[in-house]
Each structure stands twice: as structure tokens, then as C-alpha cells.
Amino acid sequence: MNLLCVGSIANDTIITPFHRKNNVLGGSATYCSLAGSLFCKTIIVGVVGSDFTRFDVFRRRNIDTSGIQIRKGKTFTWTGHYGFDLNTRQTLSLKLNVFKHFQPQLLPRHQQAKCVFLANIQPRLQLEVLKQIKHPKLIGLDTATEWINWARKDLLKVLKQADIFVINESEVREFSKEYNLLKAARKILSLMQPHHTVKRMDKRTNSFPALIIKQGEHGLLAFNRSHSYRDGLPIFNLPGYPLENVVDPTGAGDAFAGGLMGFLAETGDFSLPNLKRACTYATMIASFCVEDFGPKFLENLTLAKIRKRLRLFKKLTDFKI
Amino acid sequence: MNLLCVGSIANDTIITPFHRKNNVLGGSATYCSLAGSLFCKTIIVGVVGSDFTRFDVFRRRNIDTSGIQIRKGKTFTWTGHYGFDLNTRQTLSLKLNVFKHFQPQLLPRHQQAKCVFLANIQPRLQLEVLKQIKHPKLIGLDTATEWINWARKDLLKVLKQADIFVINESEVREFSKEYNLLKAARKILSLMQPHHTVKRMDKRTNSFPALIIKQGEHGLLAFNRSHSYRDGLPIFNLPGYPLENVVDPTGAGDAFAGGLMGFLAETGDFSLPNLKRACTYATMIASFCVEDFGPKFLENLTLAKIRKRLRLFKKLTDFKI
């Protein structure tokens, strides 16, 4: 299956304790589509200004850019500053520019997409995209603190239709108002009721709706309704890949989500073992992503490199009881 | 093999956002010996005041208490307060009492112990214990921030002789002055040169010296010299067991270490696969420990319960590539 990614496309300035980089290609849809394109034909949907010149990055990865609207004005810009631990970050400046009036309008052939990832943008825009998708099979969703606080109502509407919700640890706590992640997960999963999933629900082969909590360097915790309601436990607990040189964490979460969705779209296998496998590939992609500035590493990443790291990771995490 | 644990024995007051408990049996040697006794004959070495009445807890687990000195005066007391996340804690009061003049003097039969765990106490006392051990085979070490800062010289002397150093994430960073755990681990491992290990060194069957970084709810990262020097990666990365109800984290790290050492002492197998297995058992023990106040859960824990949880954990973390 193809994967359609909708989200932001940005011009970032990234400041870490060690470096400063201007004019870094950024945005949630950028990282997500670059990662997804490792596995399947990927469509990117978003908006850029007439100053945008980086189409080549997508085209080299065979990403369909015909869903990118070009508007008069400047591309969305973001400037972020990371603390010494490279985990905490502060937004120094954010200019919506052409993104301010973005109205996603899918081309007829894009409306036929089966797998859709709604990367981090306003929930209102995510809803508009969903309305245009004719026959969804798998809908993934990400969000951010600002939407949890300022657009909760719309976010709940999107969430209701999502098969996979990919969200980070602090956002889960904020959204659910529960500190404990198991309690938080149960609350959030009860809000997910995707109609298309319910219709084709076969518990043996379908592991959705699922919630994947990203824990940064500490990996992830995954939950789904049927399994976690049965024994009160998550379905998957995976540590992160330990790295010696973290350069820039920007986009790692989006790359994770794109890799996850791309793997699921390509395999078309929504079983629990395959969802776990998708999580491990996505974790490797995120680990590569942070080893260079912006999406630089993703641009030249190959499946062979991912599989090599995954074999090391398997050795590192494996144990016999 | 037997396991000898030396450390503190205390009378704790534990305050969490939800409860307050006075007169809780505590101390590093307490948690450590209770966990170790799940696997092998365990000896506890420490000091208590004439007010101490809790010998029954150790005896019910068949722990040899003849190495506990009873001194006129009060037992060491500690009062700690946990924040809402149950991760951060503050020491509200600490009274050394009889612990102030503690001089470990091992009974002749205790000097024959093969496996020794030097739980968190002053490095000077840990050194004195080591001097009295006649034929050590496996020496484990824990420490705390105060010794890293105030007794670094003595700590380095103990560390040089340790086969396993069990230490938490923030302490590793403090000790090594490196934020990145891989870099920190390499620095610390270069300081570990246990003579008895070097003599019997066989790289195929011996995975020491090893460093185990405890990451609380996020599990652990383990390193050893030969392996990590080869490929720059840790030897084992294990997430924590996800819990819904954390009651009191006191002693979880000591229980982890005691379980780890007890498992290794009982099996006598110092290979990498068995070190990994020991880490998984120890992780389960720590997860049980935090589910009740003080060492309450450890007092009645059984191997059957540990193995049951371990099977769930294996399912939860397992994946195919």
C-alpha cells in the first residue's frame, strides 16, 4: 500500500550546545515521508512558500510531491534550542508564514490512499484530510502539547478515528492527566474507536487500535485495546538503541512514526508480531536520524544499514529465561 | 556459593505523596540480603542498636545474621520524602547513631565467602571488608552520590577490585563527568582491574569486569570491558517491567543488586548469557519491591512469582527480526 503523510514542511534553525545550523529542511511531514519512503511509495501533503527550493530531497527518495501546495510568501520557519542533555528543547521563534492559511486539498488520486499518517499539525487540518480519504485502512496520528491544550475537542475527534496514536511520554501524561503510563494508556485507548477498524476487526490478525508511547532514548511502550484490557500490561516494551554521538534530536519522533507506518503499509500485515517488527525498524530509523543534523542521515539511509543495526540491537536486547 | 552482603541496616520513615510509614525496616544490606536469599545462602553484615528487634525478618528467609553487630544506642535512621512522580526523593533526616563507629569485623567463617556484595556504605568500610575476604571469586559494588563527591579516592580503590559495579544513571554521570552513558561506561570500566578476575580470565566464560547502570523504571544498560571495547556498544539493554501501582521505590536498587549477586552466586556461571539472565531476575525482584512499602514484598516473595512475571516480561519484550 502507499502511504500518505500530511504535516508541516519547514525551514528550521537548530541550535545545540555544540553547533548552530540555519536553513535546515524540517517539518513533521518531511521527516515522516523520508522515513516512510524507505519501505513504500510515499506521498507528502503540505504547503511551502515560493522561497522553497528543497524538492530534490523528496524526489531523490521517490516521494510524490504533487500534494505540496506552493503559496506566495515564505515557508514556515522554526528555531529551536537544545539543552546540554539534548533532550530538553525550547522554541526560540516560530513563524507560520504560508502555513497560516493552509487548507489541505487532496488530489483525487491521493484521496484513494489506504494508509495515512496525520503528522503533527492542527487537529482541525487533520480532520479535513480524513474527510477526503475515501477508503482508509490504516490511520496513524501524532500531535503536540499545544493541540492537547488548545484544540482538545478537535483532537478527540481525530483520535476517535485513528488506528495508531503515536505520542510522546510527557504528552500522554498531559493528555490523560494520569502520571502512570499504564493508567494513561487505558484512558486514551478508550477514546479510539476507528469505524473502519471495527468493521474488519479480527482479533487474531488485527492489533489495532494501538497506542505507542515514544520515550526518546528510553525506547517505547506500546498498548492496544484487546491485549492491554486483558492483562493490564502493554503489548510491547522496547528500549532505545544506545548511541554514543547524538547530534540533533529534531524530527526523531516523526521519523519513527513514518518508518512505523511505512513498514505497516508495505507489509499490509496488521498482526501483533508485525506491529512489533515495525516498531523495531522505526526505532532504528529514529536512532540514525539523531546522528546528524536535520533529516541529513535519513536522506541517504538504506534498508541494509537499518537491518545491520537491527541485528546488533537484537543481540543487545535478547535474553533467555 | 554463599553470598555475603555488607551495608547499612536502618530504621526508615518513608513519606510518599499518598502515605507515610514510620519504623520501616531499611538499609542497603537489608534489601540486598533479602533479595539474595531468594537464590542462595546469604550472610548479612552490619550494625544495629540495642533498640533493633527485626531479626525475625532475616531469619525467616534463612539469612545468617551472626555478622550483625549489636551496639549500645540507636539503630541508624533515615527519613525520606518522595515527589509526586515517585522518582525524585529528598532526605529529610539522617541519623547515623551506632553506624557512626561501625567497624566491620568478619567472623572467620565469613572471611571464606566467595561472593561479596559491598552495598552502599562508606568506601572506607567497603575496603576494610575486602581486606578480610580470603579467596574472593566475585565482588559486587554499589555506591552513592555522597561517596562520589566526598570519598572518591577510597571509592576508586574499591572499584579497582570490583567485578561488578552496580550504579544508577545520575551517579554514573557524576562519577565519570560524562553525560553520554557509553562514554561514561568506558571511563569507569578502565578503572576496574580486579586481580582475582584477571588471574582466572577466560573471555569465553567470564563476562567481568562489568558495569550495570540502573535506570529505574527504564531498566538497565550493562557493559563489560572486553565486549564494549570491541564494538563500542553495551552488552545488554533491558527495559524495566511496566507497573501500574508503584507504592514505594525505596530499596529497589539494592534489591536489584542483591538478586543479581544471589543469582550469580547460586549458578556459579559468570558467562555473558548467565549475566543477562541474572539481570532479568534482578529486574523482576526490583519491580516487586516497589509494589509495597519498604521490604514488605521481598519478605514473602518466591521464585515461582518471579518466574511467572519473567515469562510475561519475556513476551512483552520479545520480537523477531
Side-chain angles (χ1 to χ4, degrees), chain A residues 24-69:
Chain A
V24 182
L25 174 61
S28 59
T30 299
Y31 287 97
C32 173
S33 63
L34 284 170
S37 72
L38 280 154
F39 301 103
C40 65
K41 178 72 191 161
T42 302
I43 304 153
I44 181 168
V45 172
V47 64
V48 296
S50 40
D51 59 343
F52 190 78
T53 57
R54 310 297 302 278
F55 290 100
D56 61 304
V57 174
F58 301 113
R59 285 178 191 149
R60 267 188 282 125
R61 293 232 64 128
N62 204 20
I63 294 168
D64 177 348
T65 58
S66 59
I68 299 182
Q69 300 172 19

Short mmCIF file of all heavy atoms in Angstrom, two decimals, chain A residues 24-69:
data_model
loop_
_atom_site.label_atom_id
_atom_site.label_comp_id
_atom_site.label_asym_id
_atom_site.label_seq_id
_atom_site.Cartn_x
_atom_site.Cartn_y
_atom_site.Cartn_z
N VAL A 24 17.85 24.46 7.72
CA VAL A 24 17.75 23.00 7.74
C VAL A 24 16.34 22.64 7.31
O VAL A 24 15.37 23.17 7.84
CB VAL A 24 18.04 22.45 9.16
CG1 VAL A 24 17.99 20.93 9.16
CG2 VAL A 24 19.39 22.95 9.67
N LEU A 25 16.23 21.74 6.34
CA LEU A 25 14.91 21.28 5.91
C LEU A 25 14.25 20.59 7.10
O LEU A 25 14.84 19.72 7.73
CB LEU A 25 15.07 20.30 4.73
CG LEU A 25 13.80 19.60 4.25
CD1 LEU A 25 12.76 20.60 3.74
CD2 LEU A 25 14.14 18.59 3.15
N GLY A 26 13.01 21.00 7.42
CA GLY A 26 12.35 20.43 8.60
C GLY A 26 10.87 20.23 8.41
O GLY A 26 10.36 20.27 7.28
N GLY A 27 10.16 20.05 9.50
CA GLY A 27 8.72 19.84 9.47
C GLY A 27 8.36 18.38 9.66
O GLY A 27 9.09 17.49 9.25
N SER A 28 7.20 18.17 10.30
CA SER A 28 6.80 16.79 10.62
C SER A 28 6.61 15.93 9.38
O SER A 28 6.99 14.77 9.35
CB SER A 28 5.53 16.82 11.48
OG SER A 28 4.48 17.48 10.79
N ALA A 29 6.01 16.51 8.32
CA ALA A 29 5.75 15.73 7.10
C ALA A 29 7.05 15.36 6.40
O ALA A 29 7.14 14.32 5.74
CB ALA A 29 4.83 16.50 6.16
N THR A 30 8.05 16.21 6.53
CA THR A 30 9.35 15.96 5.90
C THR A 30 10.00 14.70 6.47
O THR A 30 10.32 13.76 5.74
CB THR A 30 10.28 17.17 6.11
OG1 THR A 30 9.69 18.30 5.50
CG2 THR A 30 11.66 16.91 5.55
N TYR A 31 10.18 14.68 7.80
CA TYR A 31 10.83 13.53 8.44
C TYR A 31 10.03 12.25 8.22
O TYR A 31 10.56 11.19 7.94
CB TYR A 31 10.98 13.80 9.94
CG TYR A 31 12.06 14.80 10.26
CD1 TYR A 31 11.76 16.14 10.47
CD2 TYR A 31 13.40 14.41 10.34
CE1 TYR A 31 12.75 17.07 10.77
CE2 TYR A 31 14.40 15.33 10.63
CZ TYR A 31 14.06 16.66 10.84
OH TYR A 31 15.06 17.57 11.12
N CYS A 32 8.73 12.41 8.36
CA CYS A 32 7.84 11.27 8.28
C CYS A 32 7.85 10.64 6.88
O CYS A 32 7.95 9.42 6.73
CB CYS A 32 6.47 11.81 8.67
SG CYS A 32 5.18 10.71 8.46
N SER A 33 7.80 11.49 5.84
CA SER A 33 7.77 10.93 4.48
C SER A 33 9.13 10.35 4.10
O SER A 33 9.20 9.32 3.43
CB SER A 33 7.32 11.99 3.47
OG SER A 33 8.26 13.05 3.44
N LEU A 34 10.21 10.98 4.54
CA LEU A 34 11.54 10.44 4.23
C LEU A 34 11.70 9.05 4.85
O LEU A 34 12.22 8.12 4.21
CB LEU A 34 12.64 11.37 4.75
CG LEU A 34 12.88 12.63 3.91
CD1 LEU A 34 13.82 13.59 4.64
CD2 LEU A 34 13.44 12.29 2.52
N ALA A 35 11.22 8.88 6.07
CA ALA A 35 11.32 7.56 6.72
C ALA A 35 10.39 6.55 6.05
O ALA A 35 10.78 5.42 5.78
CB ALA A 35 11.00 7.69 8.20
N GLY A 36 9.16 6.98 5.76
CA GLY A 36 8.20 6.07 5.12
C GLY A 36 8.68 5.57 3.77
O GLY A 36 8.45 4.41 3.41
N SER A 37 9.37 6.47 3.05
CA SER A 37 9.81 6.12 1.70
C SER A 37 10.87 5.02 1.68
O SER A 37 11.21 4.49 0.63
CB SER A 37 10.38 7.37 1.01
OG SER A 37 11.64 7.72 1.56
N LEU A 38 11.41 4.66 2.83
CA LEU A 38 12.34 3.53 2.90
C LEU A 38 11.62 2.22 2.63
O LEU A 38 12.24 1.23 2.26
CB LEU A 38 12.98 3.47 4.29
CG LEU A 38 14.13 4.44 4.53
CD1 LEU A 38 14.27 4.78 5.99
CD2 LEU A 38 15.42 3.83 3.98
N PHE A 39 10.30 2.21 2.81
CA PHE A 39 9.54 0.97 2.72
C PHE A 39 8.55 0.93 1.57
O PHE A 39 8.32 -0.10 0.97
CB PHE A 39 8.78 0.71 4.03
CG PHE A 39 9.68 0.62 5.22
CD1 PHE A 39 9.80 1.68 6.11
CD2 PHE A 39 10.44 -0.52 5.44
CE1 PHE A 39 10.64 1.60 7.20
CE2 PHE A 39 11.29 -0.61 6.53
CZ PHE A 39 11.39 0.46 7.42
N CYS A 40 7.89 2.08 1.28
CA CYS A 40 6.81 2.04 0.30
C CYS A 40 6.72 3.37 -0.45
O CYS A 40 7.34 4.36 -0.06
CB CYS A 40 5.48 1.76 1.01
SG CYS A 40 4.96 3.06 2.13
N LYS A 41 5.94 3.39 -1.48
CA LYS A 41 5.67 4.61 -2.23
C LYS A 41 4.99 5.60 -1.28
O LYS A 41 3.98 5.28 -0.66
CB LYS A 41 4.75 4.27 -3.42
CG LYS A 41 4.36 5.45 -4.26
CD LYS A 41 5.51 5.97 -5.11
CE LYS A 41 5.13 7.33 -5.73
NZ LYS A 41 6.30 8.08 -6.17
N THR A 42 5.55 6.79 -1.17
CA THR A 42 5.07 7.75 -0.18
C THR A 42 4.67 9.07 -0.83
O THR A 42 5.32 9.55 -1.76
CB THR A 42 6.17 7.99 0.88
OG1 THR A 42 6.49 6.73 1.47
CG2 THR A 42 5.72 8.94 1.97
N ILE A 43 3.56 9.61 -0.35
CA ILE A 43 3.04 10.89 -0.84
C ILE A 43 3.16 11.90 0.29
O ILE A 43 2.76 11.61 1.42
CB ILE A 43 1.54 10.75 -1.21
CG1 ILE A 43 1.33 9.63 -2.24
CG2 ILE A 43 0.95 12.07 -1.67
CD1 ILE A 43 -0.05 8.98 -2.18
N ILE A 44 3.71 13.07 0.00
CA ILE A 44 3.77 14.11 1.04
C ILE A 44 2.75 15.20 0.71
O ILE A 44 2.62 15.63 -0.44
CB ILE A 44 5.20 14.68 1.20
CG1 ILE A 44 5.23 15.76 2.32
CG2 ILE A 44 5.76 15.25 -0.10
CD1 ILE A 44 6.64 16.16 2.73
N VAL A 45 1.99 15.62 1.72
CA VAL A 45 0.99 16.67 1.55
C VAL A 45 1.30 17.79 2.55
O VAL A 45 1.46 17.52 3.75
CB VAL A 45 -0.44 16.12 1.79
CG1 VAL A 45 -1.46 17.25 1.81
CG2 VAL A 45 -0.79 15.09 0.72
N GLY A 46 1.42 19.00 2.03
CA GLY A 46 1.73 20.13 2.90
C GLY A 46 1.76 21.41 2.09
O GLY A 46 1.30 21.45 0.94
N VAL A 47 2.32 22.46 2.68
CA VAL A 47 2.38 23.74 1.98
C VAL A 47 3.77 24.35 2.18
O VAL A 47 4.36 24.22 3.27
CB VAL A 47 1.27 24.71 2.48
CG1 VAL A 47 1.46 25.06 3.94
CG2 VAL A 47 1.23 25.98 1.62
N VAL A 48 4.28 24.99 1.10
CA VAL A 48 5.56 25.72 1.22
C VAL A 48 5.39 27.09 0.57
O VAL A 48 4.44 27.32 -0.19
CB VAL A 48 6.72 24.96 0.53
CG1 VAL A 48 7.00 23.62 1.21
CG2 VAL A 48 6.45 24.77 -0.96
N GLY A 49 6.32 27.98 0.86
CA GLY A 49 6.30 29.30 0.25
C GLY A 49 7.07 29.28 -1.07
O GLY A 49 7.73 28.28 -1.41
N SER A 50 6.99 30.38 -1.77
CA SER A 50 7.68 30.45 -3.07
C SER A 50 9.20 30.46 -2.91
O SER A 50 9.94 30.31 -3.87
CB SER A 50 7.21 31.69 -3.83
OG SER A 50 7.07 32.78 -2.94
N ASP A 51 9.67 30.60 -1.65
CA ASP A 51 11.11 30.57 -1.39
C ASP A 51 11.65 29.14 -1.29
O ASP A 51 12.86 28.94 -1.18
CB ASP A 51 11.42 31.31 -0.08
CG ASP A 51 10.69 30.71 1.13
OD1 ASP A 51 9.71 29.96 0.92
OD2 ASP A 51 11.10 30.98 2.28
N PHE A 52 10.78 28.14 -1.30
CA PHE A 52 11.19 26.76 -1.03
C PHE A 52 11.90 26.14 -2.23
O PHE A 52 11.41 26.20 -3.36
CB PHE A 52 9.97 25.91 -0.65
CG PHE A 52 10.32 24.54 -0.13
CD1 PHE A 52 10.77 24.36 1.17
CD2 PHE A 52 10.22 23.42 -0.96
CE1 PHE A 52 11.08 23.09 1.66
CE2 PHE A 52 10.55 22.16 -0.48
CZ PHE A 52 10.97 21.99 0.83
N THR A 53 13.06 25.56 -1.98
CA THR A 53 13.87 25.03 -3.09
C THR A 53 14.28 23.57 -2.89
O THR A 53 15.07 23.05 -3.66
CB THR A 53 15.19 25.84 -3.22
OG1 THR A 53 15.87 25.78 -1.96
CG2 THR A 53 14.93 27.29 -3.59
N ARG A 54 13.75 22.90 -1.86
CA ARG A 54 14.31 21.60 -1.50
C ARG A 54 13.53 20.39 -2.01
O ARG A 54 13.59 19.31 -1.41
CB ARG A 54 14.45 21.53 0.03
CG ARG A 54 15.16 22.73 0.65
CD ARG A 54 16.60 22.83 0.16
NE ARG A 54 17.32 21.62 0.46
CZ ARG A 54 17.88 21.35 1.64
NH1 ARG A 54 17.78 22.22 2.61
NH2 ARG A 54 18.53 20.22 1.82
N PHE A 55 12.79 20.55 -3.10
CA PHE A 55 12.00 19.44 -3.65
C PHE A 55 12.89 18.23 -4.00
O PHE A 55 12.45 17.09 -3.94
CB PHE A 55 11.23 19.89 -4.89
CG PHE A 55 10.12 20.84 -4.58
CD1 PHE A 55 10.26 22.20 -4.76
CD2 PHE A 55 8.91 20.36 -4.07
CE1 PHE A 55 9.22 23.07 -4.45
CE2 PHE A 55 7.87 21.23 -3.77
CZ PHE A 55 8.03 22.60 -3.96
N ASP A 56 14.13 18.54 -4.37
CA ASP A 56 15.06 17.48 -4.76
C ASP A 56 15.23 16.41 -3.69
O ASP A 56 15.36 15.22 -3.99
CB ASP A 56 16.44 18.09 -5.09
CG ASP A 56 17.03 18.81 -3.87
OD1 ASP A 56 16.34 19.71 -3.32
OD2 ASP A 56 18.14 18.44 -3.45
N VAL A 57 15.22 16.83 -2.40
CA VAL A 57 15.40 15.87 -1.30
C VAL A 57 14.32 14.79 -1.36
O VAL A 57 14.59 13.60 -1.21
CB VAL A 57 15.36 16.60 0.07
CG1 VAL A 57 15.41 15.61 1.22
CG2 VAL A 57 16.50 17.60 0.17
N PHE A 58 13.08 15.21 -1.59
CA PHE A 58 11.97 14.26 -1.66
C PHE A 58 12.05 13.41 -2.93
O PHE A 58 11.84 12.21 -2.91
CB PHE A 58 10.63 14.99 -1.59
CG PHE A 58 10.46 15.81 -0.35
CD1 PHE A 58 10.41 17.19 -0.40
CD2 PHE A 58 10.36 15.18 0.89
CE1 PHE A 58 10.26 17.94 0.76
CE2 PHE A 58 10.21 15.92 2.05
CZ PHE A 58 10.16 17.31 1.99
N ARG A 59 12.35 14.09 -4.02
CA ARG A 59 12.35 13.38 -5.31
C ARG A 59 13.42 12.31 -5.37
O ARG A 59 13.22 11.25 -5.95
CB ARG A 59 12.48 14.39 -6.46
CG ARG A 59 11.13 15.12 -6.64
CD ARG A 59 11.15 16.17 -7.72
NE ARG A 59 9.92 16.96 -7.63
CZ ARG A 59 9.84 18.25 -7.95
NH1 ARG A 59 10.91 18.90 -8.41
NH2 ARG A 59 8.69 18.88 -7.83
N ARG A 60 14.56 12.59 -4.74
CA ARG A 60 15.63 11.58 -4.73
C ARG A 60 15.20 10.32 -3.99
O ARG A 60 15.74 9.25 -4.21
CB ARG A 60 16.91 12.16 -4.13
CG ARG A 60 17.84 12.72 -5.23
CD ARG A 60 19.19 13.11 -4.70
NE ARG A 60 19.12 14.40 -4.02
CZ ARG A 60 19.51 14.63 -2.78
NH1 ARG A 60 20.01 13.65 -2.05
NH2 ARG A 60 19.40 15.84 -2.26
N ARG A 61 14.25 10.46 -3.10
CA ARG A 61 13.72 9.29 -2.39
C ARG A 61 12.42 8.82 -3.03
O ARG A 61 11.67 8.05 -2.44
CB ARG A 61 13.49 9.62 -0.92
CG ARG A 61 14.79 9.88 -0.17
CD ARG A 61 14.94 9.07 1.07
NE ARG A 61 15.00 7.65 0.86
CZ ARG A 61 15.97 6.87 1.35
NH1 ARG A 61 16.94 7.37 2.04
NH2 ARG A 61 15.94 5.59 1.13
N ASN A 62 12.15 9.32 -4.23
CA ASN A 62 10.99 8.86 -4.99
C ASN A 62 9.66 9.18 -4.29
O ASN A 62 8.67 8.46 -4.43
CB ASN A 62 11.11 7.35 -5.23
CG ASN A 62 10.32 6.92 -6.45
OD1 ASN A 62 9.99 7.74 -7.32
ND2 ASN A 62 9.98 5.64 -6.51
N ILE A 63 9.65 10.27 -3.52
CA ILE A 63 8.43 10.69 -2.82
C ILE A 63 7.59 11.55 -3.76
O ILE A 63 8.12 12.43 -4.45
CB ILE A 63 8.79 11.47 -1.54
CG1 ILE A 63 9.49 10.53 -0.54
CG2 ILE A 63 7.56 12.10 -0.90
CD1 ILE A 63 10.14 11.23 0.63
N ASP A 64 6.29 11.28 -3.82
CA ASP A 64 5.36 12.04 -4.66
C ASP A 64 5.12 13.41 -4.01
O ASP A 64 4.52 13.50 -2.94
CB ASP A 64 4.05 11.23 -4.76
CG ASP A 64 2.97 11.96 -5.56
OD1 ASP A 64 3.13 13.17 -5.84
OD2 ASP A 64 1.96 11.31 -5.88
N THR A 65 5.60 14.47 -4.68
CA THR A 65 5.49 15.82 -4.11
C THR A 65 4.34 16.62 -4.71
O THR A 65 4.21 17.82 -4.45
CB THR A 65 6.80 16.62 -4.32
OG1 THR A 65 7.06 16.67 -5.73
CG2 THR A 65 7.97 15.99 -3.61
N SER A 66 3.49 15.94 -5.51
CA SER A 66 2.43 16.70 -6.19
C SER A 66 1.36 17.19 -5.22
O SER A 66 0.52 18.01 -5.58
CB SER A 66 1.82 15.86 -7.31
OG SER A 66 1.28 14.65 -6.79
N GLY A 67 1.41 16.70 -3.97
CA GLY A 67 0.45 17.18 -2.97
C GLY A 67 1.00 18.36 -2.16
O GLY A 67 0.34 18.83 -1.23
N ILE A 68 2.17 18.85 -2.53
CA ILE A 68 2.71 20.03 -1.84
C ILE A 68 2.19 21.29 -2.53
O ILE A 68 2.44 21.50 -3.72
CB ILE A 68 4.26 20.05 -1.84
CG1 ILE A 68 4.82 18.82 -1.11
CG2 ILE A 68 4.78 21.34 -1.19
CD1 ILE A 68 6.34 18.78 -1.01
N GLN A 69 1.42 22.10 -1.82
CA GLN A 69 0.94 23.37 -2.36
C GLN A 69 2.07 24.41 -2.26
O GLN A 69 2.77 24.47 -1.24
CB GLN A 69 -0.25 23.88 -1.55
CG GLN A 69 -1.46 22.95 -1.54
CD GLN A 69 -2.53 23.44 -0.55
OE1 GLN A 69 -2.55 24.60 -0.15
NE2 GLN A 69 -3.41 22.52 -0.16
#
